[in-house]
Amino acid sequence: MAQSSSPPFVRIGTRGSPLALWQAHETQKRLAAAHGVPLEAIEITIIKTSGDIIQDRPLAEVGGKGLFTKEIEQALFDNAVDLAVHSSKDMETNLPDGLALVACLPREDVRDAFICKKAATLAALPPGSVVGTASLRRGAMVKRLRPDIEVVSIRGNVDTRLRKVETGEVDATLLAYAGLKRLGLADKATSLFDVAIFLPAVGQGAVGIECREADTRTRDILAKIDDGITRTALTAERAFLRALDGSCRTPIAGHATVAGDRLSLRGLIVKTDGSVAHETSRDGVVADAEALGADAGRELKERGGPDFFAHL
């Protein structure tokens, strides 16, 4: 983007995918409006991550979802950018020392979308159909609902995955409805899964903004656009994931909602073949968001036992 002659008001680091750029530009617009500065005063730097480069293997085989964030986080440490904008579900459970998740944009629809040319719903897919997904959670939950369906791993951005359905490489795929909506592709969703039966990923639909923990200026700048409800829900969900030592190597789902001063959380762990699942829920006050999430995670970790994810 065009550079201003004066130093930027703040510098944003982001991946270069269409969805990542939407998130960065939305953050840019909100910051410009909140602080009364022109858009061009807020610099956007595109950073290529390992997750963007490595497209031929499942993330679980090559280091997990941190592959989408580590180069951007290094840019924070190097003071090359002031803040990083992420899809929250791509963020590592434990952030590097010195970095913090300090703000969230308002959350989008958290549901998963079913994309298929041959059937209106997962239930209507013929036995033996092939569903492609990059997500262990989605694959495991598909197998849980339809053990007669084959699940294969596919990588790539939203357009790439949609094209694999269009060309018949797979019969169906599942994508976050939030991403489709943000990209103007909501009409590509054949149907939507009910959250009650298909629990989303931790952080799904939420844009998380990370900065250096000690950078009080950037923290103050971000405070003006922080959506407290989303961040509270995310605090509970990430505490749940942390208690499970969760990453994209393990099929874990979790979703928190906030109403007034109350928070409700549902969490799920499931074996990759869908054969066994454990679910729990918590309700409490928002002030206890982190404790509620952590307690739910500890419960499921104990119920699953040490060998629950051993096959991974």
Side-chain angles (χ1 to χ4, degrees):
M1 64 180 290
Q3 299 295 308
S4 159
S5 57
S6 56
F9 175 69
V10 73
R11 301 165 298 167
I12 297 172
T14 178
R15 292 170 60 206
S17 72
L19 185 54
L21 289 174
W22 182 94
Q23 294 171 165
H25 285 291
E26 182 67 15
T27 302
Q28 180 193 44
K29 284 188 285 188
R30 288 173 179 267
L31 285 170
H35 292 278
V37 300
L39 276 180
E40 58 269 22
I42 298 170
E43 186 176 289
I44 293 178
T45 298
I46 296 172
I47 299 165
K48 183 156 273 195
T49 70
S50 301
D52 298 311
I53 297 164
I54 303 168
Q55 290 285 330
D56 59 344
R57 284 162 285 166
L59 288 179
E61 289 182 9
V62 288
K65 58 189 175 182
L67 291 173
F68 285 126
T69 59
K70 67 178 184 178
E71 284 86 358
I72 304 174
E73 288 173 333
Q74 188 58 51
L76 282 171
F77 284 125
D78 294 342
N79 198 30
V81 298
D82 301 307
L83 60 100
V85 180
H86 306 288
S87 289
S88 293
K89 65 179 182 178
D90 288 342
M91 298 181 76
E92 287 276 41
T93 315
N94 293 298
L95 299 182
D97 288 344
L99 301 182
L101 173 62
V102 298
C104 293
L105 302 189
R107 198 170 204 169
E108 243 302 353
D109 195 314
V110 301
R111 290 176 292 177
D112 284 295
F114 178 72
I115 294 102
C116 183
K117 294 172 69 180
K118 300 178 178 179
T121 64
L122 178 68
L125 264 183
S129 295
V130 177
V131 173
T133 178
S135 161
L136 282 179
R137 172 191 63 90
R138 289 181 181 130
M141 292 177 75
V142 165
K143 294 294 285 185
R144 184 186 182 203
L145 294 170
R146 290 290 308 273
D148 58 326
I149 280 178
E150 183 184 355
V151 174
V152 299
S153 177
I154 60 171
R155 292 281 311 284
N157 62 29
V158 169
D159 284 335
T160 300
R161 298 186 211 186
L162 291 173
R163 191 161 56 248
K164 288 178 186 289
V165 175
E166 194 65 33
T167 60
E169 187 174 328
V170 295
D171 296 311
T173 191
L174 283 70
L175 293 168
Y177 189 46
L180 291 175
K181 288 181 74 174
R182 286 168 171 155
L183 292 172
L185 298 171
D187 62 326
K188 299 293 185 182
T190 309
S191 58
L192 299 173
F193 288 95
D194 186 337
V195 173
I197 62 166
F198 210 93
L199 205 59
V202 164
Q204 189 150 309
V207 175
I209 308 175
E210 182 182 26
C211 75
R212 293 178 292 275
E213 204 160 18
D215 185 352
T216 54
R217 177 183 180 269
T218 299
R219 293 180 75 116
D220 289 345
I221 286 171
L222 289 171
K224 285 199 173 184
I225 65 164
D226 179 37
D227 185 80
I229 290 175
T230 300
R231 192 155 51 87
T232 297
L234 204 57
T235 296
E237 292 173 20
R238 287 177 60 79
F240 167 73
L241 197 62
R242 195 175 301 113
L244 282 162
D245 302 321
S247 72
C248 75
R249 297 178 181 85
T250 53
I252 296 169
H255 179 228
T257 56
V258 175
D261 66 346
R262 305 292 298 179
L263 179 139
S264 298
L265 169 78
R266 285 178 60 220
L268 172 84
I269 57 174
V270 55
K271 288 205 169 187
T272 50
D273 62 2
S275 61
V276 182
H278 298 289
E279 187 169 354
T280 191
S281 62
R282 292 291 185 279
D283 293 279
V285 294
V286 294
D288 293 337
E290 189 159 4
L292 291 165
D295 190 55
R298 285 191 295 267
E299 181 199 329
L300 290 191
K301 189 171 186 179
E302 185 175 336
R303 284 168 60 187
D307 299 327
F308 191 83
F309 297 120
H311 60 296
L312 296 178

